[in-house]
Amino acid sequence: EAECKAHGCEYAKVQNGPACFMKKDKFGYKVAGYASGFNSESAFLENNYLLPPFGITPYGPQIPSPMFEVRYITEDIVRIKISDTKSQRYEVPVQNEFPLLKEMKIIDKEKLAYNVEYEKSSNILKDPFYFLIRRKADNTILFDTRIGGLILTDKYFQISSYLPSKNIYGLGEHVHPSLRHNMDYKTWPMFARDRFPEGGYTNLYGVHPFYTCLENSSNSHGVLFLNSNAMEVTLLPAPGITFRTTGGIIDMFFFVGKQPESVVNLYTSLVGKPMLPPYWSLGFQLSRYGYNSLDNVKSAVEETRKAGIPQDVQFLDIDHMEGNRDFTWRKKEFAGLQEYMHKTRDEYGLKWIIILDPAIEAVQNYSVFETGVKDKVFIKRSSSWKPEMFPDQVRKYNITFGKESGSERLSKMTLCMESVHDNGAISYRHYDVHSLYGWSQTQPTLEAAEKATGYRSLVITRSTYPSSGRYAGHWLGDNRSSWDDLRRSIIGMLEFNIFGIPYIGADVCGFNGETTAELCTRWMQLGAFYPFYRNHNGMGEKAQDPVALGADVAAASKRAVERRYALNPYLYTLFYHAHVDGSTVVRPLFHEYSLKNITLYVFPYQNSAWGDLYVDSLNSLRPIETQNYEKYDFAYAHCSLTLLRVKPDAEITFGWTLTKVHVFKVKAAQNVFLGDVFSKGNTTTFQFDAKSNVLSIDVNKKLRDIQSISWEDESKACQMLP
């Protein structure tokens, strides 16, 4: 308690949540002026110095004169920026490549899907400055900063909002236990870091401060917090959300869609639509870290081929390199590598992918290092550092040097934050752009590969940022051979589709740890539905290519891979739509059924049909185990369909609607009725196609309110085809 109050915070004993907190109106701003322009408007803010503690926060003094800016990007996308009018602050350079920001579109404000509401003038007696984003169609407030907590200092920016529902998805990259977020004061850090994806509240390889929200009305919207500094996001039970970052500015995009899939369309229209992968990249791919010789690579390729398992791609990891140096290979252990690549390319149609680490060893007589020094391409050291701080091989050059640090600091497993990224025209601190390092390499790598081969190529990157999907795919990192990792890979795959990176997969059978025959079999079967289908494992682990695990695994894998190749034309079509429309390739059910509407198809056999229908909230992880579902029995006989709710016993309902019923083999229909089990009830509209003998009935009623649907011909008789 004493430590809490020493920081200028409030303290209270609570059952759940933080005991140390700030009052929502402790810091804030008032509006000092207003201006409007082409597709934009601005409010000039001043610190409420008259309110204690007079603009001094636990994180330093507040920026005294920020500007709140509204920019109308499209009728469905709006941008909010809060920046410093007194000094130029770092802004994410990725936006320079956003397609929509390169356009100057005239916005019809009468057609806006949203309103941005804020006071255009204020005084000290009013509440601190806040703003709202409101959906015009139903007045739902999508973002509401009246929750308080707006703090702007040099190295600490914070913004909070109430949310319209608890159905929040996205925000990465992490290992999330469920697709739908837990809103009980859960904090997720974001700062690109090479670490095993073992779960917990830890930051991983990529940074994606983007979430979607499924509103209670079944409408959906998304929010992008465009910032690349070390940050975290906290989800609140209000429901609410807080973004905190250590630099840059507040820069947010709001995507006011309808169904969840439309929000992804809007998001990718801003950051860029996903690349279209070459068709061969949809095939089965084989890899491991630790082949250690060409003979072992050959064995895996040839045995896979002998077992009749289709394979399109073979990987080589960094163990094939001379001393792990990029663009080299071990001439002794991998003698004949080029010849074997050419042979398998010409005879098998096999493609090869080389894994590279994004660092160059500083050593003499290594042409990659020497040309990099000559062309001044390396990240540079800070001017505050003395040359004698660096080892001999780089001391005379103005380049930085990475060294493993055992402490938990921002520079762990990366460069010092003072390092400088300088292209001769613009300089950035590593402090600001660390999380963009992987993103920055994808576009030039793809362009170089396509120039070298003359064909569409493929880049797969482990570190990603918004818009990475335009140039690359992603894999979920160095997972473990465990059932938990198998299950969680589905969540990661769905999330990266929401992030606009649909070419996504996990290391099939697991990277770390020893797999089992049963686990690998099931993972090969699941992997057949990953967009990126690769079996990959780590150094020193038991071989896990399908043939290495025995005849049963090989046979099951062969069936799984053949099933995948049968689906590839459809999968390629999905990627085409993703590339053109910005849609997902693999999507959660609520993207298809966000309105909780059902269409029922009835195919009578010998004049009868029956079945069970299960529905749930779309957000429950184990609906059957927790009894969090509804079950309906339906049966058809003699021009009558009954639909009866049978489980559970408790009064649970999820509001699902039966919109339409299509009945096949109908010979004639004059009247259609919606009623109960005792009477025909009232007539409803329908369409009858005499050529196809399909009766399409308009129902549009809640499932629990329907008991009977029946029809008759002009003679009040039932006419059906056999």
Side-chain angles (χ1 to χ4, degrees), residues 234-537:
T234 298
L235 299 165
L236 311 170
I241 191 169
T242 296
F243 287 99
R244 305 180 188 93
T245 184
T246 58
I249 65 171
I250 301 289
D251 194 356
M252 307 183 76
F253 292 83
F254 298 86
F255 307 89
V256 185
K258 294 178 181 177
Q259 280 114 23
E261 190 70 10
S262 71
V263 175
V264 178
N265 296 150
L266 292 173
Y267 176 65
T268 54
S269 74
L270 174 77
V271 303
K273 296 179 175 63
M275 57 88 182
L276 180 63
Y279 191 80
W280 54 260
S281 70
L282 304 185
F284 177 59
Q285 308 184 31
L286 197 55
S287 177
R288 79 163 298 167
Y289 175 35
Y291 282 122
N292 292 320
S293 72
L294 180 59
D295 287 342
N296 290 332
V297 177
K298 284 182 177 181
S299 176
V301 171
E302 300 300 334
E303 290 300 315
T304 299
R305 184 173 179 81
K306 189 185 299 182
I309 301 173
Q311 180 190 357
D312 265 285
V313 180
Q314 178 62 46
F315 277 74
L316 291 177
D317 211 323
I318 61 173
D319 58 282
H320 83 282
M321 300 175 184
E322 191 69 51
N324 292 341
R325 296 171 190 163
D326 287 347
F327 312 111
T328 67
W329 76 91
R330 295 155 66 185
K331 300 299 192 295
K332 179 180 178 182
E333 291 84 356
F334 286 83
L337 176 61
Q338 289 178 301
E339 292 79 5
Y340 187 65
M341 284 182 165
H342 293 158
K343 167 186 165 63
T344 54
R345 179 195 62 193
D346 296 339
E347 296 181 14
Y348 303 164
L350 194 66
K351 304 295 189 297
W352 290 74
I353 293 180
I354 304 300
I355 295 177
L356 301 173
D357 275 356
I360 300 299
E361 185 179 6
V363 61
Q364 302 303 319
N365 300 317
Y366 175 30
S367 63
V368 177
F369 169 69
E370 292 174 343
T371 56
V373 170
K374 178 182 177 182
D375 296 336
K376 299 180 180 180
V377 301
F378 294 123
I379 299 170
K380 298 170 176 59
R381 66 182 69 145
S382 167
S383 59
S384 63
W385 297 340
K386 297 179 180 179
E388 54 265 29
M389 297 169 61
F390 292 82
D392 293 341
Q393 60 265 43
V394 297
R395 184 173 296 170
K396 64 181 179 180
Y397 308 115
N398 180 23
I399 61 177
T400 192
F401 185 84
K403 185 177 182 182
E404 173 61 23
S405 169
S407 59
E408 285 296 333
R409 61 180 70 180
L410 287 182
S411 58
K412 181 177 174 63
M413 298 186 74
T414 183
L415 306 175
C416 289
M417 294 294 106
E418 299 93 337
S419 302
V420 179
H421 297 246
D422 185 354
N423 64 2
I426 304 175
S427 294
Y428 296 105
R429 297 179 300 172
H430 193 69
Y431 179 85
D432 296 315
V433 300
H434 163 82
S435 292
L436 306 182
Y437 191 52
W439 167 87
S440 69
Q441 296 189 13
T442 53
Q443 184 180 8
T445 302
L446 181 64
E447 290 177 351
E450 293 182 338
K451 183 177 181 180
T453 63
Y455 296 97
R456 272 192 297 143
S457 191
L458 179 71
V459 174
I460 309 160
T461 177
R462 198 165 59 176
S463 183
T464 58
Y465 190 79
S467 79
S468 286
R470 295 178 65 182
Y471 315 111
H474 174 63
W475 85 101
L476 294 171
D478 294 343
N479 59 359
R480 294 192 62 81
S481 298
S482 73
W483 292 100
D484 278 344
D485 282 61
L486 179 149
R487 181 186 67 82
R488 293 187 301 209
S489 72
I490 300 172
I491 298 169
M493 180 172 56
L494 294 171
E495 287 182 334
F496 270 86
N497 271 264
I498 291 173
F499 298 150
I501 307 176
Y503 190 79
I504 175 71
D507 288 344
V508 170
C509 301
F511 181 82
N512 287 308
E514 189 170 300
T515 193
T516 65
E518 182 181 5
L519 174 61
C520 197
T521 295
R522 295 304 185 192
W523 216 326
M524 285 291 293
Q525 292 167 340
L526 171 63
F529 297 94
Y530 289 167
F532 170 40
Y533 187 17
R534 180 185 67 166
N535 181 314
H536 182 47
N537 70 331

Side-chain angles (χ1 to χ4, degrees), residues 130-133 141-150 158-165 168 183 211 221 223 233-243 252 254:
Y130 66 86
F131 70 92
L132 312 176
I133 307 293
I141 297 176
L142 310 182
F143 204 80
D144 181 356
T145 66
R146 286 177 294 187
I147 196 172
L150 178 64
Q158 175 178 287
I159 188 168
S160 301
S161 173
Y162 292 113
L163 297 174
S165 89
I168 303 300
M183 305 295 288
Y211 71 84
H221 71 274
V223 177
V233 57
T234 298
L235 299 165
L236 311 170
I241 191 169
T242 296
F243 287 99
M252 307 183 76
F254 298 86

Side-chain angles (χ1 to χ4, degrees), residues 78 112-117 130-144 146 215 254 256:
V78 63
L112 292 178
Y114 52 83
N115 283 327
V116 181
E117 302 174 16
Y130 66 86
F131 70 92
L132 312 176
I133 307 293
R134 187 188 300 270
R135 182 187 294 278
K136 288 173 68 173
D138 60 5
N139 285 323
T140 298
I141 297 176
L142 310 182
F143 204 80
D144 181 356
R146 286 177 294 187
E215 301 156 31
F254 298 86
V256 185

Side-chain angles (χ1 to χ4, degrees), residues 554-566:
S557 297
K558 181 176 184 292
R559 291 191 296 270
V561 174
E562 287 173 343
R563 184 182 302 115
R564 165 57 173 253
Y565 277 80

Side-chain angles (χ1 to χ4, degrees), residues 40-148:
S40 67
E41 53 193 68
S42 303
F44 301 94
L45 308 181
E46 288 183 349
N47 205 325
N48 272 335
Y49 284 118
L50 298 180
L51 295 176
F54 310 107
I56 305 301
T57 80
Y59 314 101
Q62 288 219 102
I63 292 174
S65 304
M67 180 174 68
F68 170 82
E69 185 178 6
V70 181
R71 292 188 182 180
Y72 301 100
I73 307 301
T74 71
E75 284 78 6
D76 303 298
I77 304 174
V78 63
R79 183 181 195 178
I80 300 294
K81 293 179 69 174
I82 305 178
S83 56
D84 189 353
T85 59
K86 300 298 184 182
S87 65
Q88 183 68 38
R89 295 185 61 85
Y90 164 75
E91 298 186 29
V92 180
V94 175
Q95 64 184 292
N96 298 331
E97 300 299 320
F98 286 178
L100 277 183
L101 299 188
K102 294 182 178 182
E103 303 175 7
M104 291 293 290
K105 183 179 179 182
I106 298 176
I107 306 300
D108 185 349
K109 293 188 177 181
E110 296 299 319
K111 295 181 179 179
L112 292 178
Y114 52 83
N115 283 327
V116 181
E117 302 174 16
Y118 61 96
E119 293 286 344
K120 294 179 174 59
S121 63
S122 62
N123 58 59
I124 196 64
L125 298 178
K126 291 187 177 181
D127 290 334
F129 174 82
Y130 66 86
F131 70 92
L132 312 176
I133 307 293
R134 187 188 300 270
R135 182 187 294 278
K136 288 173 68 173
D138 60 5
N139 285 323
T140 298
I141 297 176
L142 310 182
F143 204 80
D144 181 356
T145 66
R146 286 177 294 187
I147 196 172

